[in-house]
Amino acid sequence: MKQAGHPRFVTFEGVDGAGKSTHVGWFAEMLAARCGVEVILTREPGGTALGEALRSLVLHRPMHLETEALLMFAARRELLAEVIEPALARGAWVVSDRFSDATVAYQGGGRGLAATKIAVLRQWVHPLLEPTLTVLFDLAPEVARRRIETSRTRDRFEAEDEAFFVRVRDAYRATAAEDDRRFLVIDGSRTVNEIRKRLEEIIASLCC
Ligand code: TYD
């Protein structure tokens, strides 16, 4: 799977509660240790001082759907300029907790923003860069919701109803099916240990 000279950019995606945030930090540490490489871990929206300020706005302030999508891409532009592009340029790996597939799934699938508008922003903000690998945590929305309800105070997205998360999940699965060379789908209902075993196999294939 390792491609010489190719940007090493890995993203984690999935509906809220599917488990990606439990595993992404561990994955980045294991990747660094096993492959002996520099790994930068970041998240979206956020990852820079400005991006974290935008994150608290989009997660908590009501706004027009297009404003929401534009802010996601504004935070992304900043993250690319400050973190992702310099890291890839010096040969480091980048692992990001979410990237543009989240906008397709949440603003597109979940909220119904036209795919053509998201495609324009994507083309504007990162015309040449897509993740090398995207790990999608897939889990039935009713199970994911139960996990969120018991574990934390909910933000503007997490407070959406189950139908919203069904649409988000469907959009993620459709994207993964369209691009099965980039996506690896993990069953989020598996135990933490089972998922770690799968992630270890993925890491081994990345740095062999
Ligand atoms: P999340 O990874 O769930 O953060 P945490 O695990 O700390 O709760 O991300 C925050 C929310 O942002 C999540 O509900 C999905 C949403 N989001 C979008 O709607 N569009 C996007 O483009 C991105 C990056 C995130």
Side-chain angles (χ1 to χ4, degrees):
M1 202 179 283
K2 183 171 169 183
Q3 293 143 301
H6 201 83
R8 286 129 188 194
F9 180 26
V10 181
T11 56
F12 275 41
E13 297 281 357
V15 298
D16 294 270
K20 69 178 174 49
S21 301
T22 307
H23 294 284
V24 69
W26 180 87
F27 178 88
E29 278 175 26
M30 286 297 286
L31 181 64
R34 289 280 161 84
C35 302
V37 292
E38 181 192 3
V39 178
I40 301 297
L41 173 64
T42 190
R43 70 167 181 179
E44 283 210 342
T48 64
L50 180 66
E52 291 295 326
L54 293 173
R55 177 186 176 93
S56 64
L57 288 176
V58 288
L59 260 49
H60 302 292
R61 288 269 285 271
M63 62 184 69
H64 189 280
L65 164 59
E66 293 190 357
T67 310
E68 186 179 287
L70 288 164
L71 289 181
M72 294 296 180
F73 272 99
R76 187 161 298 137
R77 185 66 193 92
E78 197 65 15
L79 184 67
L80 282 158
E82 271 196 37
V83 178
I84 297 177
E85 288 167 354
L88 293 176
R90 67 174 183 267
W93 288 65
V94 174
V95 175
S96 185
D97 186 342
R98 299 194 187 281
F99 195 61
S100 289
D101 297 310
T103 316
V104 172
Y106 279 79
Q107 282 66 51
R111 300 222 197 277
L113 181 63
T116 47
K117 292 194 172 175
I118 299 172
V120 167
L121 292 172
R122 199 169 180 147
Q123 179 63 23
W124 183 8
V125 169
H126 53 98
L128 301 176
L129 181 70
E130 288 296 340
T132 321
L133 167 69
T134 298
V135 182
L136 173 62
F137 285 75
D138 183 54
L139 186 64
E142 65 269 21
V143 182
R145 278 190 80 70
R146 278 204 296 278
R147 288 185 183 171
I148 292 168
E149 274 162 10
T150 52
S151 69
R152 52 188 172 193
T153 13
R154 287 181 272 170
D155 62 39
R156 228 160 50 77
F157 296 99
E158 292 165 348
E160 288 289 341
D161 62 14
E162 199 172 305
F164 175 85
F165 286 101
V166 170
R167 294 194 298 276
V168 172
R169 183 201 197 193
D170 288 349
Y172 268 133
R173 286 159 64 117
T175 312
E178 272 165 25
D179 197 354
D180 61 356
R181 280 161 38 119
R182 171 160 72 89
F183 276 85
L184 277 172
V185 182
I186 286 195
D187 177 354
S189 69
R190 304 222 163 226
T191 65
V192 169
N193 279 343
E194 284 169 340
I195 290 175
R196 286 195 170 172
K197 272 187 82 177
R198 180 77 188 97
L199 292 174
E200 278 182 344
E201 288 166 10
I202 293 170
I203 288 168
S205 77
L206 285 171
C207 64
C208 63

